[in-house]
């Protein structure tokens, strides 16, 4: 890719990923902010330094740290495991809070949730979150999964699995048998809400995306709102899975898990679950957190290198 650092417009070819670094370096040089450095006079020095460092560090440019549930210690029923967890250079805290409902799966040996379990569609371990609500009122019975980072990071993503309903058909009132999963993902940097996007793993997804707003997420807020539609899927079925991504920097992601309901005091989403839902579950897959960009390091290092060169020349 051609890039010009000189005021005379001359250019040279450099690797594409280095363009951003080079532009930052040259901007620093031209500003005159480098000690003992004359603006516009030594762009070649800056560019050579940027290319050298970029070449050394390029393998790490797209690196990412992973919070891998298969290596995490989490006692069944704990609300935050052993948080915070070290994920690359970050500290990540995951907290699961129940608002009404039960965290005990009495249909499967009275298992306590949340718990780390193997999930076939993910071919990996994941954090399972189960709830058994006595009412379909998602305003009083729901679970919140909070993911908190010790610093804002751009490009965080993870997979949510097993978003479905308890039956593929609805009764005369329009309700699903068993349950309906409702999931709303919101992301923040401080108090600023960021946009959350999702990509279904399977083209024939067992859920749909709500775009009209509901009791948990106003239309246009940036939250990702999902609701089950296609019956109870098996653990090996990826149609209930979605990759969730936040492109902008975030330090807090909130996942709301609620039962589908009807009425103005509930969710206002299409379709619904029964008045007294059966137990229902979703799973949170590995959390991928990109490593810090090396761009700032390159800029600072280049500035230091140029300053040292000037001092040696004077000597």
């Amino acid at each position: 890719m051609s890039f010009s650092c000189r005021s005379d417009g001359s250019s040279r070819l450099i690797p594409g990923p280095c363009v951003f670094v080079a532009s930052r370096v040259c901007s620093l040089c031209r500003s005159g902010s480098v000690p003992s450095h004359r603006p516009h006079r030594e762009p070649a020095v800056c560019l050579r330094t940027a290319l050298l460092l970029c070449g050394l560090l390029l393998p790490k440019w797209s690196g990412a740290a992973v919070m891998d549930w298969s290596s995490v210690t989490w006692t069944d029923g704990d609300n935050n495991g052993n948080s915070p967890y070290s994920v690359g250079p970050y500290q990540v805290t995951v907290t699961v809070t129940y608002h009404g409902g039960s965290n005990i799966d009495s249909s499967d040996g009275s298992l306590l949730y949340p718990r780390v379990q193997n999930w076939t569609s993910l071919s990996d371990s994941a954090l399972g979150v189960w709830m058994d609500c006595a009412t379909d009122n998602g305003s009083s019975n729901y679970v919140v999964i909070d993911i908190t980072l010790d610093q804002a990071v751009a490009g965080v993503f993870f997979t949510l699995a097993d978003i479905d309903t308890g039956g593929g058909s609805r009764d005369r009132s329009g309700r699903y048998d068993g349950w309906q999963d409702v999931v709303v993902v919101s992301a923040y940097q401080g108090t600023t809400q960021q946009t959350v996007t999702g990509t279904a793993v399977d083209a024939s997804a067992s859920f749909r995306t709500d775009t009209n707003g509901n009791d948990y997420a106003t239309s246009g807020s940036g939250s990702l709102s999902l609701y089950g539609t296609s019956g109870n899927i098996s653990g090996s079925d990826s149609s209930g899975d979605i990759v969730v991504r936040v492109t902008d920097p975030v330090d807090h992601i909130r996942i709301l898990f609620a039962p589908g309901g009807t009425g103005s005091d509930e969710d206002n989403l299409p379709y619904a679950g029964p008045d007294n839902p059966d137990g229902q579950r979703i799973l949170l897959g590995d959390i991928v957190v990109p490593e810090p960009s090396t761009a700032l390091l390159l800029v600072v290092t280049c500035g230091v290198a140029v300053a040292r060169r000037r001092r040696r020349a004077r000597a």
Side-chain angles (χ1 to χ4, degrees):
M1 181 175 293
S2 180
F3 176 80
S4 175
C5 187
R6 302 187 62 89
S7 57
D8 61 9
S10 60
S11 62
R12 63 172 296 181
L13 293 175
I14 66 174
C18 292
V19 170
F20 172 74
V21 177
S23 65
R24 298 293 294 172
V25 168
C26 290
S27 176
L28 176 67
C29 291
R30 289 182 174 184
S31 70
S33 59
V34 178
S36 304
H37 177 61
R38 292 172 296 173
H40 305 280
R41 295 293 183 86
E42 295 178 345
V45 176
C46 278
L47 190 54
R48 282 198 299 269
T49 305
L51 289 173
L52 173 63
L53 292 172
C54 188
L56 292 172
L57 298 175
L58 192 58
K60 296 183 179 180
W61 187 270
S62 301
V66 180
M67 181 171 171
D68 185 350
W69 290 109
S70 64
S71 61
V72 161
T73 300
W74 189 297
T75 302
D76 295 356
D78 280 359
N79 73 321
N80 63 354
N82 283 352
S83 294
Y85 296 99
S86 295
V87 182
Y90 310 106
Q91 293 292 302
V92 179
T93 298
V94 178
T95 304
V96 181
T97 307
Y98 282 78
H99 299 266
S102 171
N103 68 330
I104 301 175
D105 181 3
S106 57
S107 67
D108 191 12
S110 296
L111 296 177
L112 287 174
Y113 284 81
R115 63 192 303 266
V116 175
Q117 58 187 124
N118 186 62
W119 199 251
T120 307
S121 73
L122 299 176
S123 299
D124 200 356
S125 296
L127 183 68
V129 178
W130 169 280
M131 67 176 178
D132 190 354
C133 300
T135 172
D136 65 351
N137 188 339
S139 299
S140 61
N141 282 244
Y142 58 95
V143 178
V144 173
I145 307 169
D146 288 300
I147 304 170
T148 307
L149 296 93
D150 62 343
Q151 57 183 292
V153 186
V156 176
F157 67 94
F158 51 86
T159 300
L160 292 175
D162 199 35
I163 302 172
D164 59 5
T165 67
S169 60
R170 303 191 300 277
D171 61 22
R172 291 182 179 179
S173 65
R175 295 185 166 210
Y176 288 108
D177 294 331
W179 71 86
Q180 180 191 37
D181 291 335
V182 174
V183 180
V184 180
V185 186
S186 306
Y188 306 87
Q189 180 181 10
T191 58
T192 301
Q193 186 164 358
Q194 308 286 36
T195 299
V196 182
T197 59
T199 303
V201 173
D202 192 306
S204 301
S206 62
F207 56 85
R208 295 182 186 175
T209 302
D210 174 58
T211 57
N212 297 318
N214 52 66
D215 280 4
Y216 313 117
T218 303
S219 178
S221 66
S223 294
L224 176 67
S225 300
L226 311 165
Y227 59 97
T229 58
S230 300
N232 183 12
I233 62 173
S234 68
S236 60
D237 190 341
S238 63
S239 67
D241 303 354
I242 183 170
V243 179
V244 178
R245 184 182 299 272
V246 189
T247 302
D248 296 318
V250 292
D251 51 31
H252 178 208
I253 298 173
R254 180 179 187 265
I255 304 169
L256 174 79
F257 178 32
T262 58
S264 60
D265 62 343
E266 297 173 28
D267 54 41
N268 285 322
L269 286 166
Y271 316 127
D275 290 327
N276 185 0
D278 294 340
Q280 51 196 116
R281 167 179 49 200
I282 61 170
L283 298 103
L284 170 63
D286 294 344
I287 303 169
V288 182
V289 187
E291 297 276 13
S293 171
T294 58
L296 180 59
L297 172 63
L298 293 173
V299 170
V300 173
T301 307
C302 177
V304 172
V306 172
R308 287 180 176 175
R309 181 178 181 275
R310 294 294 300 167
R311 285 198 294 270
R312 286 198 303 270
R314 286 182 175 181

